[in-house]
Amino acid sequence: MQNKQNRWIIHVDMDAFYASVEVLDNPYLKNKPVIVGGTSNRGVVCAASYAARTYGIHSAMPIITAKRLCPNGTFLPVRMQRYQELSKQVFNCFYQITPHVEGLSVDEAFLDVTGGKLLHGDFETIAWKIKNLIKDKTGLTASVGLAPNKYLAKIASDLDKPDGFFYIKPNKIQETIDPLPVKCVWGIGPKAVEALKHLQIHLIKDLRDTDYKIFKKIFKNRAQHFYELSHGIDNRKVEKQTKDKSISNEQTFSSDLTDLKDMNIQILYLSEMVAWRLRQQNLKGKTISLKIRLSNLKRLSRQLSIDNPTNSTATIYNISKDLLNTWFKLQYNPSVRLLGVEVSNFNNNSQLNLFEAQADIKSNKIDSVLDTIKKKYGIDSLKRANLINIKRN
Ligand SMILES: [Mg+2]
């Protein structure tokens, strides 16, 4: 069993990103315990400097606990705009090396450097180049993992943190990942870790040696995926982000959402808003993105590109809902503060097959009837049945 494609993937993860930005802007905080996440006792830790981590402080811990562990630490509020500025500079470094960049959050991305060998030297040199470029341009340190696929690259960037570099060579895959705990498998959350523990499966090696029936039992329809990961196999591509214009709507909730049903209703509302705005401007897009901000302020996004550009509420809703549900299934009790839906990669030439065309006409008809009513009576005049009870903040 092996990876189908010969790819070279780099995973870059900034070290204690928000806290490091604060230290960058306030150099006297260097090597001191810095905790970002608000100054009041409510709320949770969004980032802790490595000095703060030695006190046992980590992300998502209640601020009040962190204050008890380290009363003399520097507690700072979140300055998201500043972090985003730095994030942009970091991503600009990536684009100097390759256009094949997939951002996972403000401080984390995959780069496919398979085609970069001639231009930039061997893959190790490329990985170091990225690391040094980030340090030069921003003054911040990153941990970099280099491996033949996304999953292994993500593992690698975590093996030498902070300011790390780790290279998983193709002939060293199994011996590198086997001794790691199963929680290092990308997507295995605390719930699955607990279930595996009951079966005496603690390390990736234990998981790899497990009967496929166990995979079926624990991971259901994701069994094959996790079976492959336990063998170091991952054939997912780096999904390039478009730099095109986009249309998006997002909603911050007055109290965090924990129920998937509530989230899906919000997704319907957001899809409706985005699709309506696209139709008003006669735009259709091929990339649908879902944005999530968790209660610990960590941001992430998921996206899917389709062959035929769309501005149909039904299509945008179904895709963003699927992205949300796929993400949700792999989490343990996620608490969501913000959801957003975005359509980008505009292109108005669609080539539908006969069945898709018929489905599209039907959904377009519904959209155009709704749009006529909205134009006449205002955007809130008509809501799909599920939206009637939606709370707008
Ligand atoms: Mg990070």
Side-chain angles (χ1 to χ4, degrees), residues 185-224:
V185 176
W186 187 15
I188 292 195
K191 234 181 186 166
V193 169
E194 201 51 38
L196 292 166
K197 201 166 101 188
H198 287 300
L199 299 164
Q200 301 303 317
I201 299 167
H202 306 284
L203 306 178
I204 296 183
K205 182 178 189 321
D206 305 334
L207 187 63
R208 181 165 64 99
D209 292 341
T210 301
D211 196 288
Y212 190 67
K213 272 189 229 143
I214 304 283
F215 281 88
K216 271 272 178 219
K217 194 177 153 216
I218 307 248
F219 302 110
K220 312 274 181 326
N221 57 355
R222 305 264 296 159
Q224 180 64 26

Side-chain angles (χ1 to χ4, degrees), residues 9-282:
I9 310 294
I10 286 172
H11 179 252
V12 181
D13 185 13
M14 302 301 292
D15 302 319
F17 185 54
Y18 299 173
S20 303
V21 173
E22 294 302 338
V23 175
L24 184 77
D25 290 350
N26 308 284
Y28 64 91
L29 292 173
K30 203 172 171 202
N31 299 326
K32 300 226 168 82
V34 176
I35 300 99
V36 177
T39 42
S40 77
N41 285 340
R42 287 191 65 246
V44 293
V45 174
C46 297
S49 67
Y50 281 86
R53 291 180 197 195
T54 61
Y55 290 82
I57 297 172
H58 55 79
S59 306
M61 169 184 277
I63 286 284
I64 194 148
T65 313
K67 281 192 174 163
R68 208 186 57 229
L69 290 170
C70 183
N72 296 324
T74 304
F75 290 80
L76 297 169
V78 177
R79 293 187 301 148
M80 193 47 82
Q81 221 177 338
R82 178 69 180 134
Y83 310 145
Q84 270 166 347
E85 257 171 51
L86 263 307
S87 169
K88 217 170 170 184
Q89 290 178 26
V90 171
F91 275 70
N92 283 340
C93 297
F94 301 155
Y95 287 114
Q96 287 190 33
I97 303 290
T98 174
H100 304 283
V101 176
E102 178 182 345
L104 291 178
S105 68
V106 280
D107 75 323
E108 215 185 314
F110 286 115
L111 284 69
D112 186 333
V113 293
T114 312
K117 206 170 169 177
L118 281 178
L119 199 62
H120 301 285
D122 64 58
F123 301 119
E124 257 187 285
T125 310
I126 299 174
W128 276 103
K129 223 178 204 173
I130 292 166
K131 207 171 139 52
N132 293 334
L133 201 57
I134 295 171
K135 179 81 190 164
D136 288 354
K137 298 277 177 195
T138 67
L140 297 167
T141 64
S143 291
V144 171
L146 168 65
N149 64 44
K150 283 167 80 167
Y151 154 66
L152 293 171
K154 194 162 162 62
I155 285 191
S157 70
D158 212 32
L159 291 178
D160 188 33
K161 257 184 168 303
D163 201 7
F165 172 79
F166 200 95
Y167 173 24
I168 300 184
K169 294 188 178 121
N171 59 347
K172 297 273 160 68
I173 295 175
Q174 225 58 74
E175 66 177 79
T176 310
I177 64 172
D178 273 0
L180 301 173
V182 285
K183 69 166 195 237
C184 293
V185 176
W186 187 15
I188 292 195
K191 234 181 186 166
V193 169
E194 201 51 38
L196 292 166
K197 201 166 101 188
H198 287 300
L199 299 164
Q200 301 303 317
I201 299 167
H202 306 284
L203 306 178
I204 296 183
K205 182 178 189 321
D206 305 334
L207 187 63
R208 181 165 64 99
D209 292 341
T210 301
D211 196 288
Y212 190 67
K213 272 189 229 143
I214 304 283
F215 281 88
K216 271 272 178 219
K217 194 177 153 216
I218 307 248
F219 302 110
K220 312 274 181 326
N221 57 355
R222 305 264 296 159
Q224 180 64 26
H225 172 69
F226 286 109
Y227 179 75
E228 288 180 3
L229 294 189
S230 73
H231 285 78
I233 309 285
D234 180 13
N235 287 304
R236 286 172 294 184
K237 280 195 281 188
V238 166
E239 303 289 346
K240 217 160 96 173
Q241 271 148 342
T242 59
K243 289 182 110 185
D244 296 345
K245 264 180 34 173
S246 62
I247 285 192
S248 67
N249 274 78
E250 49 184 52
Q251 180 82 357
T252 306
F253 312 114
S254 47
S255 52
D256 296 344
L257 299 187
T258 50
D259 187 337
L260 183 60
K261 248 194 252 156
D262 294 340
M263 293 181 209
N264 281 333
I265 292 174
Q266 292 292 339
I267 291 295
L268 176 57
Y269 162 67
L270 292 165
S271 304
E272 176 100 298
M273 290 296 287
V274 168
W276 150 264
R277 288 171 60 203
L278 286 166
R279 294 193 294 267
Q280 294 316 295
Q281 297 180 49
N282 223 354

